[in-house]
Amino acid sequence: MNFFAPAEIVKNYGEAGKKKTDLPALSMLILGILAGFFIAFGAAATNTAGHAIENVSVMRTVMGILFPGGLTLVVLMGGELFTGNCLISISVLEKKTTVTKLLKNWVLVYTGNFLGSVLTAWGCAFFGQMNYSDGGLAVFTIRLAATKSSMPFMNALVLGIFCNMLVCLAVLASLSAKDTAGKVLGLFFPIAFFVICGFEHSVANMYYIPAGIFAASVPEYAASAAEAGVDLSVLTWGNFLLGNLLPVTIGNIIGGVLVGAGMWAAFGSRK
């Protein structure tokens, strides 16, 4: 057969998660930075493609079709993505690694993801990438960042849970395939679903919100956004880190561990 069954996927990930936690610290950080770039590139592409589409359903669908490209690069190029690495919970339950090693991986990879994503946001905001539609892309980016920054804590947390359930299912589905095309197809639909539904992904938000904050510091972008009725006062690093990133990250951990533990309970090598 040209695919792995669910029990084989869980067993294979148990070994793969162990290898992830055994990586040198510098490798974890560098691969995390690369994954941050990959996800941010996907986020920048979705904003660019969707900013001028007025029909919300069409816009979200277009964005959903494009965003899986970011995770495709992560899977095929070997990047380390915090949200997907919540599945290392499988390796812990399989007794292939320890909670301490898991937490070390999460911290280093999360830091790397943050650096890669924010650097991409900085480059896009200050070097003309947002000039499309006479700055309309910048206004869209600022508005999206403001919406995310003012989201209620529980909304961000619950939407973060749903998001990473789908992301981790996408990772596992990609691991079901034995060829490149199968891996890409396996991850495509779960990622498209979370983008279309507007669920919250911590690493993607490391691009979306800083990109809006940086863009709002460019006078012509800020003036256009204010004229369009965007509340620029919510675009602060405090609102980003504590108001959005914190609850979304907590939700992502819950959702990812739920999927990992659920798959292990159903298919793992329990004693």
Side-chain angles (χ1 to χ4, degrees):
M1 291 188 298
N2 197 34
F3 63 91
F4 293 106
E8 293 175 303
I9 296 171
V10 171
K11 180 181 178 181
N12 291 344
Y13 193 91
E15 294 292 340
K18 177 184 183 302
K19 291 179 181 178
K20 288 175 178 288
T21 59
D22 288 342
L23 286 170
L26 183 59
S27 295
M28 291 185 195
L29 183 64
I30 292 172
L31 291 172
I33 292 172
L34 288 174
F37 281 130
F38 298 156
I39 296 300
F41 293 154
T46 62
N47 277 2
T48 304
H51 79 276
I53 302 175
E54 295 185 6
N55 185 292
V56 175
S57 296
V58 175
M59 178 190 70
R60 299 302 307 185
T61 301
V62 169
M63 296 171 80
I65 290 171
L66 293 174
F67 192 82
L71 186 61
T72 298
L73 289 173
V74 172
V75 169
L76 298 183
M77 297 294 103
E80 289 290 308
L81 182 64
F82 166 75
T83 46
N85 283 8
C86 289
L87 285 172
I88 297 175
S89 54
I90 293 174
S91 306
V92 174
L93 292 168
E94 286 278 292
K95 302 190 185 303
K96 301 290 186 180
T97 191
T98 65
V99 172
T100 300
K101 288 184 175 182
L102 174 146
L103 294 176
K104 175 186 175 183
N105 178 277
W106 282 1
V107 169
L108 289 170
V109 169
Y110 191 89
T111 301
N113 292 167
F114 187 91
L115 292 173
S117 297
V118 173
L119 281 171
T120 306
W122 173 80
C124 288
F126 291 122
F127 294 91
Q129 193 275 328
M130 297 184 187
N131 288 339
Y132 282 102
S133 305
D134 294 325
L137 173 56
V139 174
F140 179 90
T141 302
I142 293 169
R143 187 189 303 277
L144 179 60
T147 300
K148 287 179 175 290
S149 295
S150 56
M151 183 177 294
F153 188 97
M154 284 305 299
N155 287 23
L157 187 144
V158 173
L159 295 181
I161 292 173
F162 290 159
C163 174
N164 213 31
M165 290 179 72
L166 285 167
V167 170
C168 288
L169 288 169
V171 170
L172 292 175
S174 74
L175 294 175
S176 71
K178 297 181 179 180
D179 58 20
T180 300
K183 290 180 180 296
V184 174
L185 186 60
L187 68 82
F188 178 84
F189 286 102
I191 300 301
F193 290 169
F194 102 66
V195 175
I196 292 169
C197 293
F199 297 153
E200 293 290 305
H201 188 273
S202 56
V203 181
N205 286 358
M206 293 173 188
Y207 171 85
Y208 284 129
I209 300 178
I213 294 173
F214 290 139
S217 69
V218 177
E220 54 267 36
Y221 293 163
S224 297
E227 185 178 345
V230 181
D231 181 8
L232 300 180
S233 67
V234 301
L235 287 175
T236 67
W237 289 99
N239 281 344
F240 163 47
L241 296 172
L242 299 178
N244 181 275
L245 195 59
L246 176 62
V248 170
T249 300
I250 294 171
N252 286 171
I253 291 172
I254 294 171
V257 171
L258 279 174
V259 169
M263 290 296 290
W264 177 82
F267 300 108
S269 55
R270 300 181 306 283
K271 303 297 183 184

